[in-house]
Amino acid sequence: MKRGSVIGNIAKDLGLQVSRLSPRKARIVLEGNRKRYCEINVETGELAIVDRIDREELCEAKISCILKCELVLEDPLESHRISLQIQDVNDHPPIFIKDVVKLEIRESAPKGSRYRINAAGDADIGQNAVQNYILEKNDYFALNVLTNSFAKKYSEIILDGELDREKQHEMTLLLTAVDGGSPQRSGTAVIQITVLDANDNAPVFSHAVYEATVPENSPVNTVVVTVSASDADEGINGKVIYEFSGISGIAQQIFSLNEYTGEITVGRNIDYEEESKFEMLIEGKDGYGLSSETKVVIDIIDMNDNAPVIHINSFAKSIPESVSPGTEVGIIHVQDADSDNNGQVHCSIQHNVPFKLVPSIKNYYSLVTTGQLDRELVSDYNITISATDEGSPPLSSSKTVHLSVADINDNPPVFEEQSYSAYVTENNKPGSTLCSVTARDPDWRQNGTVIYSLLPGEVNGAPVSSYLSVNGDTGVIHAVRSFDYEQLRSFKVHVMARDNGSPPLSSNVSVSVFISDVNDNSPQILYPAPEGNSLMTELVPKAAHGGSLVSKVIAVDADSGQNAWLSYHIVKFTDPGLFTIGVHSGEIRTQRDISESDSMKQNLIVAVKDNGQPSLSATCSMYLLISDNLAEVPELKDISYDEKNSKLTSYLIIALVSVSTFFLTFIIIIVGVRFCRRRKPRLLFDGAVAIPSAYLPPNYADVDGTGTLRSAYNYDTYLTTGSRTSDFKFVTSYNDNTLPADQTLRKSPSDFAEEFGQSDYSLEVGSYSSYVFPPEQQQVMSIIFKFVFNDTTSGC
């Protein structure tokens, strides 16, 4: 049949869906190592010829010629055996083994003598084989057509008249063999007859059939079998010559016959897989043409000379790492051309891979996964498939296939650290780099590409994005604004690392930002109040001794650490050497006793410096009046405040006048008592500057002994009836004759009398003090008064 000819629709015959043939990779697999003769059309399901089929090449003289193949489909794996009956057509003419047949016949041969002519060969079978012989018309011989034991027709000529060597010693006849095909084909041979003297005994073989075996791949010239025939005649009439009278073309190429000895030897390599059995006819002929025939059957012994052949029928070059165990990766087909045990094959793969071979239908294996794949651990596999037969010795072969594991997004980004810390000094430039975070993702390509972002949140009520930003590609964190240590010392944000997979995976990490202080805040003086807001005046008694506490400068610094360590210095004064200030406490004390020559009005300018680099400072003015009586200073009556503080000042003046009047009464009594005892009266005024911490500016700390604000401090204060304005404070420190600060009494007069006895009394009156803050921080300060009786003398 011509190429492309349709044999039949096997999809219809097998009940298969034509639309599923292509997805299931339908294909025709022929047994053995034969070339591909037919193929299935996956579009129509028809089985078509793809190469010329020669029945004689496939089956030679076999009556039944069947071409076996398989239809293989995948998903699921399915196999259908197909047998194609190859029908013979008359495409070969009859052929005589010898074109010229020589016969030597004695003239004494009797009428009716028969002379066998070798049968003509025809590769076709059945009706297309040789059906008849035709002999050229002559006067001496007739033709008789016979059938041998192999159902082959052969001819013999019959002597139909007497020969006369003297009349004709040679003659030539044309013998024609015709087949029964349509159109009919024929072949001819020339019979050359030489008329001789009489030969009346034909050769006789020792066996009617010779059987022999020979291993395949036997060396050339190996003797397979020896045929032998004897002739009772003597001389040339008894000498037997051997020749093939019926043999196939392939057998004639493989075997050789010694015409004198009858030995059949190997002429070239024998392959069991090509042909496992040979049959041939051998003719023994004496010197004058009498002959006989015998049959030789040679069986080829299979040797394990063919290694298994591995065919990869279907294979997925790449599979995702998420496939479940048992997933089919490929289909393996193993073939061994040998027979019996030599053709039994065992297939396996190496043990260090998560795959195995599962036997399916005959000689088919499925390569399936045995465990979970992880591309991050192993991204490629080289799978070596080994096939070994059961021959002796066994033969094996192997084939290596490469399988890639496709990535899926199964790993979230992982930060290199559990948490990150960033340190930045305040007043940084916006956009400056604080730190960087790094996350690794072992996935591939976009699944492993990491993008960084800030998680939404708030810092001090503001979105975190107004403080920091992160580079989405590099993870570098930048400051969006300039930080102020006094407002924010540290905060924490969360950074998310997200990959580009689908769906994306992410992880978070905390980043703690610590702001370090720089000396960017000057000291702030709380007391005395800055100029322009109030007039703070301290009254110093003329009797104050050296070392007496006059007043105290109270300042704070919003910075921290050494930047907030304050020192106090007097930078300008009215009388040098009269007052000194504690470097760290800010206490203003007298350096010596006050004399009559000292100026009544003392003005001190105090500078407060911090310990930062560079150092920052602030100054304030302290007004001191050296007097025992406010009436001595009439010009103070004209001192006033801003209009905005006048109302508060009025209330304070009223309160001060009322309290002063009450105390002046007690002072007159005490003065009278002391006058009686001729003692100098002394009015002690012990007070406390009470500045509640709640009124302090934010971020100020109460640190004792460092120059920052303390919650309370005690003073001795003298008041006169002339005190009519607020913000006046007349302070003197405790001298050696007064109680130390830690013994300041805060009890009723009777309690003091019990504690100190009845001999000498001194009244300590808590001073009135006030602090005027800037307009946005104005508060009314509390007034604390304490009475202290101190027994100074005995008597009235």
Side-chain angles (χ1 to χ4, degrees):
M1 298 178 69
K2 295 181 179 179
R3 291 181 177 86
S5 300
V6 176
I7 300 174
N9 194 313
I10 58 175
K12 182 178 179 181
D13 295 338
L14 296 175
L16 301 174
Q17 296 181 7
V18 176
S19 59
R20 292 285 297 160
L21 294 179
S22 179
R24 295 186 64 184
K25 300 180 182 179
R27 58 189 176 275
I28 297 297
V29 179
L30 273 73
E31 295 183 354
N33 297 323
R34 295 176 176 176
K35 59 184 179 181
R36 188 175 300 276
Y37 293 106
C38 55
E39 188 56 271
I40 184 172
N41 186 331
V42 295
E43 301 295 332
T44 62
E46 296 176 338
L47 185 65
I49 300 295
V50 296
D51 199 357
R52 180 178 179 273
I53 300 176
D54 189 345
R55 180 200 165 284
E56 289 72 34
E57 180 182 346
L58 290 175
C59 305
E60 295 189 351
K62 294 180 180 178
I63 300 299
S64 176
C65 183
I66 297 176
L67 179 62
K68 295 182 179 180
C69 57
E70 289 180 276
L71 172 63
V72 178
L73 301 100
E74 299 179 13
D75 192 25
L77 184 62
E78 186 177 344
S79 175
H80 298 278
R81 298 185 65 87
I82 300 173
S83 296
L84 299 177
Q85 180 75 39
I86 308 302
Q87 297 179 350
D88 184 41
V89 296
N90 191 26
D91 55 348
H92 293 86
I95 299 175
F96 287 94
I97 295 176
K98 292 183 177 181
D99 294 337
V100 177
V101 179
K102 295 181 178 181
L103 296 177
E104 293 180 346
I105 303 174
R106 287 186 175 276
E107 60 179 343
S108 59
K111 187 177 181 180
S113 298
R114 298 173 180 270
Y115 301 92
R116 179 187 177 94
I117 306 299
N118 291 336
D122 194 326
D124 298 322
I125 61 171
Q127 191 65 27
N128 294 327
V130 176
Q131 298 297 318
N132 195 15
Y133 293 90
I134 301 174
L135 183 62
E136 180 184 2
K137 184 177 291 189
N138 62 86
D139 297 331
Y140 297 99
F141 295 94
L143 182 65
N144 185 27
V145 178
L146 303 173
T147 301
N148 62 14
S149 58
F150 305 105
K152 284 191 174 183
K153 293 184 179 297
Y154 68 94
S155 63
E156 60 181 10
I157 57 175
I158 302 173
L159 184 58
D160 194 32
E162 293 181 358
L163 296 176
D164 188 350
R165 181 177 178 276
E166 288 70 28
K167 290 183 177 180
Q168 187 176 1
H169 67 282
E170 289 182 352
M171 62 184 66
T172 300
L173 302 175
L174 183 63
L175 179 63
T176 302
V178 294
D179 59 26
S182 178
Q184 190 178 60
R185 295 179 181 271
S186 63
T188 59
V190 175
I191 302 175
Q192 292 182 352
I193 301 173
T194 302
V195 180
L196 300 175
D197 290 331
N199 180 23
D200 53 355
N201 291 289
V204 177
F205 283 95
S206 58
H207 296 87
V209 177
Y210 289 85
E211 294 182 351
T213 59
V214 61
E216 64 173 330
N217 302 323
S218 295
V220 176
N221 295 325
T222 298
V223 177
V224 180
V225 66
T226 300
V227 296
S228 176
S230 61
D231 194 319
D233 294 327
E234 294 181 353
I236 193 172
N237 293 329
K239 188 178 181 179
V240 180
I241 302 296
Y242 304 95
E243 61 183 23
F244 290 116
S245 60
I247 188 172
S248 64
I250 187 172
Q252 195 170 11
Q253 295 175 8
I254 294 175
F255 299 103
S256 299
L257 175 63
N258 189 314
E259 62 179 351
Y260 299 110
T261 63
E263 288 182 349
I264 300 176
T265 58
V266 176
R268 68 170 181 86
N269 183 59
I270 305 174
D271 190 352
Y272 175 88
E273 288 67 44
E274 291 183 0
E275 194 69 42
S276 60
K277 185 175 184 180
F278 296 93
E279 295 182 359
M280 59 195 74
L281 297 176
I282 297 178
E283 180 186 34
K285 183 171 60 175
D286 61 20
Y288 288 101
L290 295 180
S291 63
S292 62
E293 195 173 53
T294 188
K295 182 177 182 180
V296 177
V297 179
I298 301 176
D299 290 313
I300 309 301
I301 300 175
D302 183 37
M303 303 297 292
N304 191 29
D305 60 341
N306 290 280
V309 179
I310 301 172
H311 300 283
I312 309 298
N313 287 354
S314 177
F315 187 75
K317 295 183 179 180
S318 178
I319 58 173
E321 59 180 326
S322 59
V323 297
S324 58
T327 300
E328 186 177 77
V329 177
I331 297 175
I332 314 300
H333 183 206
V334 182
Q335 290 181 311
D336 193 319
D338 295 322
S339 61
D340 299 330
N341 289 340
N342 295 333
Q344 297 297 318
V345 180
H346 299 282
C347 201
S348 63
I349 61 174
Q350 72 264 36
H351 297 288
N352 59 343
V353 293
F355 302 95
K356 68 177 181 179
L357 287 176
V358 178
S360 184
I361 57 179
K362 179 182 178 182
N363 293 333
Y364 280 90
Y365 297 85
S366 294
L367 180 64
V368 299
T369 59
T370 59
Q372 193 66 44
L373 304 180
D374 191 345
R375 192 206 67 85
E376 288 68 44
L377 296 177
V378 182
S379 60
D380 297 273
Y381 290 95
N382 287 319
I383 305 172
T384 300
I385 303 168
S386 301
T388 305
D389 60 26
E390 295 183 359
S392 180
L395 298 179
S396 63
S397 62
S398 63
K399 180 173 286 189
T400 300
V401 294
H402 181 79
L403 177 65
S404 298
V405 181
D407 184 47
I408 65 169
N409 193 28
D410 59 344
N411 290 282
V414 177
F415 285 94
E416 292 183 347
E417 299 182 20
Q418 296 294 328
S419 62
Y420 291 84
S421 298
Y423 299 88
V424 59
T425 58
E426 63 174 332
N427 303 325
N428 58 293
K429 292 183 178 181
S432 58
T433 299
L434 301 185
C435 67
S436 65
V437 297
T438 303
R440 308 291 181 186
D441 193 323
D443 291 324
W444 194 45
R445 290 186 176 175
Q446 67 177 18
N447 292 334
T449 301
V450 179
I451 299 175
Y452 303 92
S453 62
L454 288 173
L455 287 178
E458 291 187 352
V459 176
N460 281 355
V464 69
S465 58
S466 64
Y467 285 82
L468 300 177
S469 67
V470 62
N471 188 304
D473 297 326
T474 64
V476 176
I477 298 177
H478 301 277
V480 174
R481 62 166 65 177
S482 179
F483 298 118
D484 188 351
Y485 175 83
E486 287 70 41
Q487 295 182 1
L488 184 65
R489 298 191 177 187
S490 66
F491 61 93
K492 182 182 290 186
V493 299
H494 290 86
V495 177
M496 179 179 69
R498 175 180 57 83
D499 58 31
N500 266 339
S502 179
L505 300 178
S506 63
S507 60
N508 303 332
V509 71
S510 62
V511 179
S512 299
V513 180
F514 299 95
I515 304 168
S516 57
D517 184 43
V518 297
N519 192 27
D520 60 342
N521 291 280
S522 300
Q524 184 174 356
I525 299 174
L526 302 179
Y527 184 84
E531 293 184 1
N533 292 334
S534 63
L535 177 62
M536 302 300 295
T537 303
E538 302 285 354
L539 188 64
V540 181
K542 294 179 180 180
H545 298 286
S548 297
L549 177 64
V550 175
S551 184
K552 178 179 175 70
V553 177
I554 302 174
V556 294
D557 194 317
D559 295 320
S560 65
Q562 67 176 9
N563 294 330
W565 295 351
L566 303 181
S567 61
Y568 302 83
H569 309 275
I570 298 176
V571 297
K572 186 177 181 180
F573 36 73
T574 303
D575 290 335
L578 180 56
F579 297 100
T580 184
I581 190 169
V583 176
H584 300 298
S585 64
E587 294 177 346
I588 300 176
R589 295 179 180 272
T590 57
Q591 293 193 73
R592 57 179 174 80
D593 294 344
I594 297 177
S595 63
E596 294 295 334
S597 61
D598 291 328
S599 174
M600 179 180 295
K601 297 180 180 180
Q602 297 288 331
N603 183 17
L604 303 180
I605 297 178
V606 179
V608 182
K609 296 182 179 180
D610 59 25
N611 198 37
Q613 294 295 331
S615 177
L616 301 178
S617 63
T619 59
C620 67
S621 296
M622 179 69 72
Y623 300 96
L624 304 177
L625 295 177
I626 301 176
S627 176
D628 290 331
N629 191 343
L630 290 177
E632 298 176 0
V633 194
E635 60 271 24
L636 292 176
K637 300 177 182 179
D638 300 328
I639 301 175
S640 60
Y641 291 106
D642 292 339
E643 290 297 331
K644 62 182 179 180
N645 295 323
S646 61
K647 189 174 181 179
L648 177 61
T649 302
S650 300
Y651 292 142
L652 294 176
I653 291 174
I654 295 172
L656 181 60
V657 170
S658 300
V659 175
S660 298
T661 303
F662 177 77
F663 277 89
L664 285 175
T665 303
F666 281 88
I667 292 173
I668 293 172
I669 295 173
I670 294 173
V671 169
V673 173
R674 292 196 176 189
F675 180 77
C676 292
R677 296 186 179 185
R678 295 181 182 182
R679 293 284 185 131
K680 182 180 179 178
R682 185 177 70 173
L683 179 61
L684 298 179
F685 199 121
D686 183 18
V689 179
I691 304 178
S693 61
Y695 297 151
L696 298 179
N699 302 325
Y700 291 169
D702 294 338
V703 182
D704 191 13
T706 63
T708 56
L709 179 63
R710 298 173 60 186
S711 61
Y713 201 91
N714 295 331
Y715 301 93
D716 285 339
T717 306
Y718 295 82
L719 300 177
T720 66
T721 58
S723 299
R724 296 190 301 273
T725 60
S726 64
D727 294 340
F728 277 35
K729 184 172 183 180
F730 310 96
V731 182
T732 182
S733 66
Y734 291 109
N735 55 28
D736 297 333
N737 295 325
T738 62
L739 290 174
D742 58 355
Q743 294 182 8
T744 300
L745 298 179
R746 302 178 184 272
K747 302 180 182 179
S748 65
S750 61
D751 293 335
F752 290 125
E754 292 177 0
E755 183 173 347
F756 292 96
Q758 302 298 326
S759 61
D760 190 12
Y761 293 91
S762 173
L763 178 61
E764 292 186 6
V765 182
S767 65
Y768 159 71
S769 63
S770 68
Y771 173 73
V772 180
F773 286 82
E776 68 275 12
Q777 297 179 346
Q778 291 186 4
Q779 302 288 342
V780 179
M781 308 301 294
S782 63
I783 304 174
I784 304 174
F785 298 95
K786 294 182 288 184
F787 298 88
V788 178
F789 290 88
N790 186 15
D791 183 10
T792 58
T793 63
S794 63
C796 62

